Amino acid sequence: MRLGGWQLGIGKGKNKPTSPATLRSRAEKKLNTQAPEARQPKPGLETKRQLHELQVNLIELEMQNDELLRVHEDLELSQSMYAELYNFAPIAYFTFDPSGVIQNTNHRGAQLLETERREVAYRPFADFIADAKGREIFSNHLSLVIERETMLKCAITLRGNDGKLVHAQLQSIAIKKENSPVFILSSIIDNSVRRQFEEKLREAHDKLERTVAERTLELSSANMQLKQEIAERKMTEESLQSSYSEIKLLKERLRAENVYLQQEVDRQFNFGEIIGKSDPLLHVFSQIGQVAPMNATVLLLGETGTGKGVVARAIHSSSTRKGRPLIT
């Protein structure tokens, strides 16, 4: 059965025609089960045989007629079922002639083009293609399908009557039969939602790449700045260490110079707690320096308040017993 340009295999394997031998056997049995008066026998063997043959043929015709009625009913039921499957399928189906003129489509195909089925029939499909490149792709697609006699795919952009763009994918195959024109069967899938998801995914990927690149640049800059700060801090620490060493060296030098100067002052102008530079004091310093290293008793003479205790401490601090207590 042909439906909208589609060749449908209906009734295969169901309600096959009964063979003549089977019909003959069924007719003989039915005739034998009829009442004797229905047979109306007549004299003569030949006449009787011919009458029997006519009755059997009549029953065969009745049985064939009943069988044809059942087959016809099954065909109408199958036709209705396949027509509903075709018309209300969720995928758009189109039938094209070799030049791309629409021969038929289902409801989904009309919805895809934002129009009615009656307005689509016998219109060039190229009228609904959005751009010249897509029309060229569609024309080449039909030619290759007819030439190669195999199922092929292509992607084009359609524009409906309301101007809405549809990113469609076609899958087509050519039907060739003897003494029949060539036509192309195509299924069309709307990939607009998938295309939108792919574009959003690509945009998200590009945004992520830009964010990663910007963040990487920021981290690289921060890392470089941190390295610079570390280097500067290291240089500062080295400078501080050098300054500390220099200060320590200067401190040691100052301490040495201080000791040296104190020794010079002590040597020139004082002796312990005694400070002065007069000739009598210098004479006393000289005597202290002479008797201090000696292991001998020293007698200090003088009136009260003249500093005999001070001189005694000076002798003690310069003697070998300076680590021991001085008992006055």
Side-chain angles (χ1 to χ4, degrees), residues 74-96:
D74 291 341
L75 287 174
E76 288 183 346
L77 180 61
S78 298
Q79 179 179 1
S80 176
M81 179 181 66
Y82 281 103
E84 289 182 358
L85 288 175
Y86 171 77
N87 288 327
F88 298 101
I91 298 176
Y93 292 111
F94 286 84
T95 304
F96 301 113

mmCIF file with all atom_site columns, all heavy atoms in Angstrom, residues 74-96:
data_model
loop_
_atom_site.group_PDB
_atom_site.id
_atom_site.type_symbol
_atom_site.label_atom_id
_atom_site.label_alt_id
_atom_site.label_comp_id
_atom_site.label_asym_id
_atom_site.label_entity_id
_atom_site.label_seq_id
_atom_site.pdbx_PDB_ins_code
_atom_site.Cartn_x
_atom_site.Cartn_y
_atom_site.Cartn_z
_atom_site.occupancy
_atom_site.B_iso_or_equiv
_atom_site.pdbx_formal_charge
_atom_site.auth_seq_id
_atom_site.auth_comp_id
_atom_site.auth_asym_id
_atom_site.auth_atom_id
_atom_site.pdbx_PDB_model_num
ATOM 1   N N   . ASP A 1 74 ? -8.849  -5.707 7.148  1.00 0.00 ? 74 ASP A N   1
ATOM 2   C CA  . ASP A 1 74 ? -7.517  -5.663 7.765  1.00 0.00 ? 74 ASP A CA  1
ATOM 3   C C   . ASP A 1 74 ? -6.641  -4.595 7.129  1.00 0.00 ? 74 ASP A C   1
ATOM 4   O O   . ASP A 1 74 ? -5.872  -3.894 7.822  1.00 0.00 ? 74 ASP A O   1
ATOM 5   C CB  . ASP A 1 74 ? -6.828  -7.029 7.651  1.00 0.00 ? 74 ASP A CB  1
ATOM 6   C CG  . ASP A 1 74 ? -7.494  -8.079 8.525  1.00 0.00 ? 74 ASP A CG  1
ATOM 7   O OD1 . ASP A 1 74 ? -8.227  -7.685 9.459  1.00 0.00 ? 74 ASP A OD1 1
ATOM 8   O OD2 . ASP A 1 74 ? -7.305  -9.280 8.280  1.00 0.00 ? 74 ASP A OD2 1
ATOM 9   N N   . LEU A 1 75 ? -6.759  -4.467 5.799  1.00 0.00 ? 75 LEU A N   1
ATOM 10  C CA  . LEU A 1 75 ? -5.970  -3.440 5.118  1.00 0.00 ? 75 LEU A CA  1
ATOM 11  C C   . LEU A 1 75 ? -6.383  -2.039 5.550  1.00 0.00 ? 75 LEU A C   1
ATOM 12  O O   . LEU A 1 75 ? -5.537  -1.158 5.770  1.00 0.00 ? 75 LEU A O   1
ATOM 13  C CB  . LEU A 1 75 ? -6.119  -3.581 3.601  1.00 0.00 ? 75 LEU A CB  1
ATOM 14  C CG  . LEU A 1 75 ? -5.389  -4.759 2.949  1.00 0.00 ? 75 LEU A CG  1
ATOM 15  C CD1 . LEU A 1 75 ? -5.741  -4.841 1.477  1.00 0.00 ? 75 LEU A CD1 1
ATOM 16  C CD2 . LEU A 1 75 ? -3.885  -4.609 3.118  1.00 0.00 ? 75 LEU A CD2 1
ATOM 17  N N   . GLU A 1 76 ? -7.680  -1.819 5.685  1.00 0.00 ? 76 GLU A N   1
ATOM 18  C CA  . GLU A 1 76 ? -8.145  -0.507 6.133  1.00 0.00 ? 76 GLU A CA  1
ATOM 19  C C   . GLU A 1 76 ? -7.682  -0.220 7.558  1.00 0.00 ? 76 GLU A C   1
ATOM 20  O O   . GLU A 1 76 ? -7.274  0.912  7.880  1.00 0.00 ? 76 GLU A O   1
ATOM 21  C CB  . GLU A 1 76 ? -9.677  -0.442 6.055  1.00 0.00 ? 76 GLU A CB  1
ATOM 22  C CG  . GLU A 1 76 ? -10.212 -0.356 4.630  1.00 0.00 ? 76 GLU A CG  1
ATOM 23  C CD  . GLU A 1 76 ? -11.717 -0.217 4.604  1.00 0.00 ? 76 GLU A CD  1
ATOM 24  O OE1 . GLU A 1 76 ? -12.348 -0.450 5.671  1.00 0.00 ? 76 GLU A OE1 1
ATOM 25  O OE2 . GLU A 1 76 ? -12.262 0.135  3.545  1.00 0.00 ? 76 GLU A OE2 1
ATOM 26  N N   . LEU A 1 77 ? -7.727  -1.257 8.425  1.00 0.00 ? 77 LEU A N   1
ATOM 27  C CA  . LEU A 1 77 ? -7.260  -1.073 9.792  1.00 0.00 ? 77 LEU A CA  1
ATOM 28  C C   . LEU A 1 77 ? -5.762  -0.777 9.824  1.00 0.00 ? 77 LEU A C   1
ATOM 29  O O   . LEU A 1 77 ? -5.300  0.129  10.539 1.00 0.00 ? 77 LEU A O   1
ATOM 30  C CB  . LEU A 1 77 ? -7.562  -2.332 10.613 1.00 0.00 ? 77 LEU A CB  1
ATOM 31  C CG  . LEU A 1 77 ? -7.121  -2.294 12.081 1.00 0.00 ? 77 LEU A CG  1
ATOM 32  C CD1 . LEU A 1 77 ? -7.841  -1.168 12.818 1.00 0.00 ? 77 LEU A CD1 1
ATOM 33  C CD2 . LEU A 1 77 ? -7.408  -3.631 12.760 1.00 0.00 ? 77 LEU A CD2 1
ATOM 34  N N   . SER A 1 78 ? -4.976  -1.546 9.029  1.00 0.00 ? 78 SER A N   1
ATOM 35  C CA  . SER A 1 78 ? -3.540  -1.308 8.975  1.00 0.00 ? 78 SER A CA  1
ATOM 36  C C   . SER A 1 78 ? -3.238  0.061  8.397  1.00 0.00 ? 78 SER A C   1
ATOM 37  O O   . SER A 1 78 ? -2.341  0.768  8.870  1.00 0.00 ? 78 SER A O   1
ATOM 38  C CB  . SER A 1 78 ? -2.854  -2.389 8.135  1.00 0.00 ? 78 SER A CB  1
ATOM 39  O OG  . SER A 1 78 ? -3.035  -3.670 8.716  1.00 0.00 ? 78 SER A OG  1
ATOM 40  N N   . GLN A 1 79 ? -4.006  0.430  7.342  1.00 0.00 ? 79 GLN A N   1
ATOM 41  C CA  . GLN A 1 79 ? -3.795  1.744  6.738  1.00 0.00 ? 79 GLN A CA  1
ATOM 42  C C   . GLN A 1 79 ? -4.058  2.855  7.741  1.00 0.00 ? 79 GLN A C   1
ATOM 43  O O   . GLN A 1 79 ? -3.278  3.818  7.845  1.00 0.00 ? 79 GLN A O   1
ATOM 44  C CB  . GLN A 1 79 ? -4.713  1.905  5.527  1.00 0.00 ? 79 GLN A CB  1
ATOM 45  C CG  . GLN A 1 79 ? -4.569  3.268  4.843  1.00 0.00 ? 79 GLN A CG  1
ATOM 46  C CD  . GLN A 1 79 ? -5.486  3.390  3.636  1.00 0.00 ? 79 GLN A CD  1
ATOM 47  O OE1 . GLN A 1 79 ? -6.232  2.475  3.331  1.00 0.00 ? 79 GLN A OE1 1
ATOM 48  N NE2 . GLN A 1 79 ? -5.421  4.518  2.974  1.00 0.00 ? 79 GLN A NE2 1
ATOM 49  N N   . SER A 1 80 ? -5.130  2.733  8.515  1.00 0.00 ? 80 SER A N   1
ATOM 50  C CA  . SER A 1 80 ? -5.446  3.732  9.514  1.00 0.00 ? 80 SER A CA  1
ATOM 51  C C   . SER A 1 80 ? -4.364  3.791  10.593 1.00 0.00 ? 80 SER A C   1
ATOM 52  O O   . SER A 1 80 ? -3.936  4.878  11.014 1.00 0.00 ? 80 SER A O   1
ATOM 53  C CB  . SER A 1 80 ? -6.806  3.416  10.143 1.00 0.00 ? 80 SER A CB  1
ATOM 54  O OG  . SER A 1 80 ? -7.093  4.322  11.185 1.00 0.00 ? 80 SER A OG  1
ATOM 55  N N   . MET A 1 81 ? -3.878  2.606  11.016 1.00 0.00 ? 81 MET A N   1
ATOM 56  C CA  . MET A 1 81 ? -2.858  2.565  12.059 1.00 0.00 ? 81 MET A CA  1
ATOM 57  C C   . MET A 1 81 ? -1.560  3.187  11.573 1.00 0.00 ? 81 MET A C   1
ATOM 58  O O   . MET A 1 81 ? -0.964  4.038  12.257 1.00 0.00 ? 81 MET A O   1
ATOM 59  C CB  . MET A 1 81 ? -2.608  1.110  12.478 1.00 0.00 ? 81 MET A CB  1
ATOM 60  C CG  . MET A 1 81 ? -1.546  0.954  13.555 1.00 0.00 ? 81 MET A CG  1
ATOM 61  S SD  . MET A 1 81 ? -1.270  -0.772 13.985 1.00 0.00 ? 81 MET A SD  1
ATOM 62  C CE  . MET A 1 81 ? -0.574  -1.384 12.436 1.00 0.00 ? 81 MET A CE  1
ATOM 63  N N   . TYR A 1 82 ? -1.112  2.803  10.372 1.00 0.00 ? 82 TYR A N   1
ATOM 64  C CA  . TYR A 1 82 ? 0.139   3.358  9.860  1.00 0.00 ? 82 TYR A CA  1
ATOM 65  C C   . TYR A 1 82 ? -0.005  4.829  9.511  1.00 0.00 ? 82 TYR A C   1
ATOM 66  O O   . TYR A 1 82 ? 0.959   5.594  9.613  1.00 0.00 ? 82 TYR A O   1
ATOM 67  C CB  . TYR A 1 82 ? 0.608   2.561  8.646  1.00 0.00 ? 82 TYR A CB  1
ATOM 68  C CG  . TYR A 1 82 ? 1.270   1.267  9.006  1.00 0.00 ? 82 TYR A CG  1
ATOM 69  C CD1 . TYR A 1 82 ? 0.595   0.057  8.872  1.00 0.00 ? 82 TYR A CD1 1
ATOM 70  C CD2 . TYR A 1 82 ? 2.569   1.242  9.511  1.00 0.00 ? 82 TYR A CD2 1
ATOM 71  C CE1 . TYR A 1 82 ? 1.186   -1.138 9.228  1.00 0.00 ? 82 TYR A CE1 1
ATOM 72  C CE2 . TYR A 1 82 ? 3.174   0.052  9.864  1.00 0.00 ? 82 TYR A CE2 1
ATOM 73  C CZ  . TYR A 1 82 ? 2.488   -1.144 9.721  1.00 0.00 ? 82 TYR A CZ  1
ATOM 74  O OH  . TYR A 1 82 ? 3.073   -2.322 10.071 1.00 0.00 ? 82 TYR A OH  1
ATOM 75  N N   . ALA A 1 83 ? -1.183  5.247  9.090  1.00 0.00 ? 83 ALA A N   1
ATOM 76  C CA  . ALA A 1 83 ? -1.397  6.663  8.798  1.00 0.00 ? 83 ALA A CA  1
ATOM 77  C C   . ALA A 1 83 ? -1.269  7.494  10.076 1.00 0.00 ? 83 ALA A C   1
ATOM 78  O O   . ALA A 1 83 ? -0.665  8.569  10.089 1.00 0.00 ? 83 ALA A O   1
ATOM 79  C CB  . ALA A 1 83 ? -2.768  6.878  8.166  1.00 0.00 ? 83 ALA A CB  1
ATOM 80  N N   . GLU A 1 84 ? -1.818  6.981  11.181 1.00 0.00 ? 84 GLU A N   1
ATOM 81  C CA  . GLU A 1 84 ? -1.696  7.696  12.453 1.00 0.00 ? 84 GLU A CA  1
ATOM 82  C C   . GLU A 1 84 ? -0.243  7.722  12.920 1.00 0.00 ? 84 GLU A C   1
ATOM 83  O O   . GLU A 1 84 ? 0.250   8.741  13.418 1.00 0.00 ? 84 GLU A O   1
ATOM 84  C CB  . GLU A 1 84 ? -2.579  7.027  13.511 1.00 0.00 ? 84 GLU A CB  1
ATOM 85  C CG  . GLU A 1 84 ? -4.072  7.241  13.265 1.00 0.00 ? 84 GLU A CG  1
ATOM 86  C CD  . GLU A 1 84 ? -4.909  6.613  14.353 1.00 0.00 ? 84 GLU A CD  1
ATOM 87  O OE1 . GLU A 1 84 ? -4.318  5.985  15.253 1.00 0.00 ? 84 GLU A OE1 1
ATOM 88  O OE2 . GLU A 1 84 ? -6.134  6.754  14.302 1.00 0.00 ? 84 GLU A OE2 1
ATOM 89  N N   . LEU A 1 85 ? 0.457   6.585  12.760 1.00 0.00 ? 85 LEU A N   1
ATOM 90  C CA  . LEU A 1 85 ? 1.872   6.555  13.134 1.00 0.00 ? 85 LEU A CA  1
ATOM 91  C C   . LEU A 1 85 ? 2.669   7.560  12.324 1.00 0.00 ? 85 LEU A C   1
ATOM 92  O O   . LEU A 1 85 ? 3.557   8.247  12.849 1.00 0.00 ? 85 LEU A O   1
ATOM 93  C CB  . LEU A 1 85 ? 2.445   5.148  12.930 1.00 0.00 ? 85 LEU A CB  1
ATOM 94  C CG  . LEU A 1 85 ? 1.997   4.078  13.917 1.00 0.00 ? 85 LEU A CG  1
ATOM 95  C CD1 . LEU A 1 85 ? 2.556   2.715  13.511 1.00 0.00 ? 85 LEU A CD1 1
ATOM 96  C CD2 . LEU A 1 85 ? 2.445   4.415  15.330 1.00 0.00 ? 85 LEU A CD2 1
ATOM 97  N N   . TYR A 1 86 ? 2.372   7.665  11.045 1.00 0.00 ? 86 TYR A N   1
ATOM 98  C CA  . TYR A 1 86 ? 3.092   8.583  10.161 1.00 0.00 ? 86 TYR A CA  1
ATOM 99  C C   . TYR A 1 86 ? 2.747   10.035 10.476 1.00 0.00 ? 86 TYR A C   1
ATOM 100 O O   . TYR A 1 86 ? 3.627   10.883 10.629 1.00 0.00 ? 86 TYR A O   1
ATOM 101 C CB  . TYR A 1 86 ? 2.754   8.258  8.718  1.00 0.00 ? 86 TYR A CB  1
ATOM 102 C CG  . TYR A 1 86 ? 3.268   9.264  7.717  1.00 0.00 ? 86 TYR A CG  1
ATOM 103 C CD1 . TYR A 1 86 ? 4.607   9.290  7.354  1.00 0.00 ? 86 TYR A CD1 1
ATOM 104 C CD2 . TYR A 1 86 ? 2.401   10.192 7.126  1.00 0.00 ? 86 TYR A CD2 1
ATOM 105 C CE1 . TYR A 1 86 ? 5.083   10.221 6.446  1.00 0.00 ? 86 TYR A CE1 1
ATOM 106 C CE2 . TYR A 1 86 ? 2.866   11.119 6.212  1.00 0.00 ? 86 TYR A CE2 1
ATOM 107 C CZ  . TYR A 1 86 ? 4.205   11.130 5.873  1.00 0.00 ? 86 TYR A CZ  1
ATOM 108 O OH  . TYR A 1 86 ? 4.674   12.041 4.981  1.00 0.00 ? 86 TYR A OH  1
ATOM 109 N N   . ASN A 1 87 ? 1.441   10.307 10.606 1.00 0.00 ? 87 ASN A N   1
ATOM 110 C CA  . ASN A 1 87 ? 1.016   11.692 10.760 1.00 0.00 ? 87 ASN A CA  1
ATOM 111 C C   . ASN A 1 87 ? 1.393   12.275 12.113 1.00 0.00 ? 87 ASN A C   1
ATOM 112 O O   . ASN A 1 87 ? 1.719   13.457 12.218 1.00 0.00 ? 87 ASN A O   1
ATOM 113 C CB  . ASN A 1 87 ? -0.499  11.797 10.559 1.00 0.00 ? 87 ASN A CB  1
ATOM 114 C CG  . ASN A 1 87 ? -0.895  11.608 9.107  1.00 0.00 ? 87 ASN A CG  1
ATOM 115 O OD1 . ASN A 1 87 ? -0.156  11.994 8.207  1.00 0.00 ? 87 ASN A OD1 1
ATOM 116 N ND2 . ASN A 1 87 ? -2.045  11.001 8.879  1.00 0.00 ? 87 ASN A ND2 1
ATOM 117 N N   . PHE A 1 88 ? 1.342   11.456 13.154 1.00 0.00 ? 88 PHE A N   1
ATOM 118 C CA  . PHE A 1 88 ? 1.562   11.975 14.504 1.00 0.00 ? 88 PHE A CA  1
ATOM 119 C C   . PHE A 1 88 ? 2.901   11.541 15.080 1.00 0.00 ? 88 PHE A C   1
ATOM 120 O O   . PHE A 1 88 ? 3.091   11.564 16.294 1.00 0.00 ? 88 PHE A O   1
ATOM 121 C CB  . PHE A 1 88 ? 0.413   11.523 15.416 1.00 0.00 ? 88 PHE A CB  1
ATOM 122 C CG  . PHE A 1 88 ? -0.921  12.039 14.997 1.00 0.00 ? 88 PHE A CG  1
ATOM 123 C CD1 . PHE A 1 88 ? -1.808  11.230 14.311 1.00 0.00 ? 88 PHE A CD1 1
ATOM 124 C CD2 . PHE A 1 88 ? -1.278  13.359 15.260 1.00 0.00 ? 88 PHE A CD2 1
ATOM 125 C CE1 . PHE A 1 88 ? -3.044  11.710 13.911 1.00 0.00 ? 88 PHE A CE1 1
ATOM 126 C CE2 . PHE A 1 88 ? -2.512  13.841 14.864 1.00 0.00 ? 88 PHE A CE2 1
ATOM 127 C CZ  . PHE A 1 88 ? -3.401  13.024 14.175 1.00 0.00 ? 88 PHE A CZ  1
ATOM 128 N N   . ALA A 1 89 ? 3.821   11.146 14.225 1.00 0.00 ? 89 ALA A N   1
ATOM 129 C CA  . ALA A 1 89 ? 5.162   10.793 14.693 1.00 0.00 ? 89 ALA A CA  1
ATOM 130 C C   . ALA A 1 89 ? 5.865   12.033 15.239 1.00 0.00 ? 89 ALA A C   1
ATOM 131 O O   . ALA A 1 89 ? 5.643   13.149 14.759 1.00 0.00 ? 89 ALA A O   1
ATOM 132 C CB  . ALA A 1 89 ? 5.983   10.197 13.543 1.00 0.00 ? 89 ALA A CB  1
ATOM 133 N N   . PRO A 1 90 ? 6.726   11.877 16.265 1.00 0.00 ? 90 PRO A N   1
ATOM 134 C CA  . PRO A 1 90 ? 7.428   13.043 16.836 1.00 0.00 ? 90 PRO A CA  1
ATOM 135 C C   . PRO A 1 90 ? 8.544   13.571 15.945 1.00 0.00 ? 90 PRO A C   1
ATOM 136 O O   . PRO A 1 90 ? 9.131   14.611 16.245 1.00 0.00 ? 90 PRO A O   1
ATOM 137 C CB  . PRO A 1 90 ? 7.999   12.486 18.151 1.00 0.00 ? 90 PRO A CB  1
ATOM 138 C CG  . PRO A 1 90 ? 8.152   11.025 17.910 1.00 0.00 ? 90 PRO A CG  1
ATOM 139 C CD  . PRO A 1 90 ? 7.031   10.636 16.996 1.00 0.00 ? 90 PRO A CD  1
ATOM 140 N N   . ILE A 1 91 ? 8.852   12.873 14.867 1.00 0.00 ? 91 ILE A N   1
ATOM 141 C CA  . ILE A 1 91 ? 9.890   13.293 13.929 1.00 0.00 ? 91 ILE A CA  1
ATOM 142 C C   . ILE A 1 91 ? 9.226   13.772 12.639 1.00 0.00 ? 91 ILE A C   1
ATOM 143 O O   . ILE A 1 91 ? 8.230   13.193 12.189 1.00 0.00 ? 91 ILE A O   1
ATOM 144 C CB  . ILE A 1 91 ? 10.865  12.140 13.635 1.00 0.00 ? 91 ILE A CB  1
ATOM 145 C CG1 . ILE A 1 91 ? 11.574  11.724 14.921 1.00 0.00 ? 91 ILE A CG1 1
ATOM 146 C CG2 . ILE A 1 91 ? 11.894  12.527 12.576 1.00 0.00 ? 91 ILE A CG2 1
ATOM 147 C CD1 . ILE A 1 91 ? 12.490  10.542 14.754 1.00 0.00 ? 91 ILE A CD1 1
ATOM 148 N N   . ALA A 1 92 ? 9.769   14.811 12.051 1.00 0.00 ? 92 ALA A N   1
ATOM 149 C CA  . ALA A 1 92 ? 9.226   15.339 10.797 1.00 0.00 ? 92 ALA A CA  1
ATOM 150 C C   . ALA A 1 92 ? 9.652   14.443 9.631  1.00 0.00 ? 92 ALA A C   1
ATOM 151 O O   . ALA A 1 92 ? 10.835  14.141 9.469  1.00 0.00 ? 92 ALA A O   1
ATOM 152 C CB  . ALA A 1 92 ? 9.717   16.760 10.573 1.00 0.00 ? 92 ALA A CB  1
ATOM 153 N N   . TYR A 1 93 ? 8.656   14.000 8.830  1.00 0.00 ? 93 TYR A N   1
ATOM 154 C CA  . TYR A 1 93 ? 8.920   13.182 7.643  1.00 0.00 ? 93 TYR A CA  1
ATOM 155 C C   . TYR A 1 93 ? 8.490   13.963 6.404  1.00 0.00 ? 93 TYR A C   1
ATOM 156 O O   . TYR A 1 93 ? 7.424   14.585 6.380  1.00 0.00 ? 93 TYR A O   1
ATOM 157 C CB  . TYR A 1 93 ? 8.166   11.859 7.708  1.00 0.00 ? 93 TYR A CB  1
ATOM 158 C CG  . TYR A 1 93 ? 8.661   10.924 8.784  1.00 0.00 ? 93 TYR A CG  1
ATOM 159 C CD1 . TYR A 1 93 ? 7.868   10.636 9.893  1.00 0.00 ? 93 TYR A CD1 1
ATOM 160 C CD2 . TYR A 1 93 ? 9.920   10.335 8.694  1.00 0.00 ? 93 TYR A CD2 1
ATOM 161 C CE1 . TYR A 1 93 ? 8.327   9.789  10.888 1.00 0.00 ? 93 TYR A CE1 1
ATOM 162 C CE2 . TYR A 1 93 ? 10.384  9.486  9.686  1.00 0.00 ? 93 TYR A CE2 1
ATOM 163 C CZ  . TYR A 1 93 ? 9.580   9.220  10.781 1.00 0.00 ? 93 TYR A CZ  1
ATOM 164 O OH  . TYR A 1 93 ? 10.045  8.376  11.764 1.00 0.00 ? 93 TYR A OH  1
ATOM 165 N N   . PHE A 1 94 ? 9.332   13.908 5.372  1.00 0.00 ? 94 PHE A N   1
ATOM 166 C CA  . PHE A 1 94 ? 9.038   14.585 4.107  1.00 0.00 ? 94 PHE A CA  1
ATOM 167 C C   . PHE A 1 94 ? 9.280   13.620 2.953  1.00 0.00 ? 94 PHE A C   1
ATOM 168 O O   . PHE A 1 94 ? 10.142  12.730 3.026  1.00 0.00 ? 94 PHE A O   1
ATOM 169 C CB  . PHE A 1 94 ? 9.933   15.817 3.919  1.00 0.00 ? 94 PHE A CB  1
ATOM 170 C CG  . PHE A 1 94 ? 9.565   16.985 4.772  1.00 0.00 ? 94 PHE A CG  1
ATOM 171 C CD1 . PHE A 1 94 ? 10.014  17.079 6.082  1.00 0.00 ? 94 PHE A CD1 1
ATOM 172 C CD2 . PHE A 1 94 ? 8.760   18.004 4.276  1.00 0.00 ? 94 PHE A CD2 1
ATOM 173 C CE1 . PHE A 1 94 ? 9.679   18.147 6.875  1.00 0.00 ? 94 PHE A CE1 1
ATOM 174 C CE2 . PHE A 1 94 ? 8.430   19.086 5.066  1.00 0.00 ? 94 PHE A CE2 1
ATOM 175 C CZ  . PHE A 1 94 ? 8.885   19.168 6.372  1.00 0.00 ? 94 PHE A CZ  1
ATOM 176 N N   . THR A 1 95 ? 8.499   13.818 1.891  1.00 0.00 ? 95 THR A N   1
ATOM 177 C CA  . THR A 1 95 ? 8.720   13.118 0.626  1.00 0.00 ? 95 THR A CA  1
ATOM 178 C C   . THR A 1 95 ? 9.023   14.171 -0.431 1.00 0.00 ? 95 THR A C   1
ATOM 179 O O   . THR A 1 95 ? 8.223   15.097 -0.638 1.00 0.00 ? 95 THR A O   1
ATOM 180 C CB  . THR A 1 95 ? 7.486   12.308 0.211  1.00 0.00 ? 95 THR A CB  1
ATOM 181 O OG1 . THR A 1 95 ? 7.141   11.417 1.269  1.00 0.00 ? 95 THR A OG1 1
ATOM 182 C CG2 . THR A 1 95 ? 7.785   11.494 -1.045 1.00 0.00 ? 95 THR A CG2 1
ATOM 183 N N   . PHE A 1 96 ? 10.197  14.050 -1.085 1.00 0.00 ? 96 PHE A N   1
ATOM 184 C CA  . PHE A 1 96 ? 10.626  15.015 -2.102 1.00 0.00 ? 96 PHE A CA  1
ATOM 185 C C   . PHE A 1 96 ? 10.720  14.325 -3.458 1.00 0.00 ? 96 PHE A C   1
ATOM 186 O O   . PHE A 1 96 ? 10.986  13.110 -3.553 1.00 0.00 ? 96 PHE A O   1
ATOM 187 C CB  . PHE A 1 96 ? 12.003  15.597 -1.766 1.00 0.00 ? 96 PHE A CB  1
ATOM 188 C CG  . PHE A 1 96 ? 12.078  16.289 -0.448 1.00 0.00 ? 96 PHE A CG  1
ATOM 189 C CD1 . PHE A 1 96 ? 12.851  15.761 0.590  1.00 0.00 ? 96 PHE A CD1 1
ATOM 190 C CD2 . PHE A 1 96 ? 11.396  17.477 -0.210 1.00 0.00 ? 96 PHE A CD2 1
ATOM 191 C CE1 . PHE A 1 96 ? 12.940  16.391 1.808  1.00 0.00 ? 96 PHE A CE1 1
ATOM 192 C CE2 . PHE A 1 96 ? 11.481  18.115 1.013  1.00 0.00 ? 96 PHE A CE2 1
ATOM 193 C CZ  . PHE A 1 96 ? 12.242  17.569 2.026  1.00 0.00 ? 96 PHE A CZ  1
#
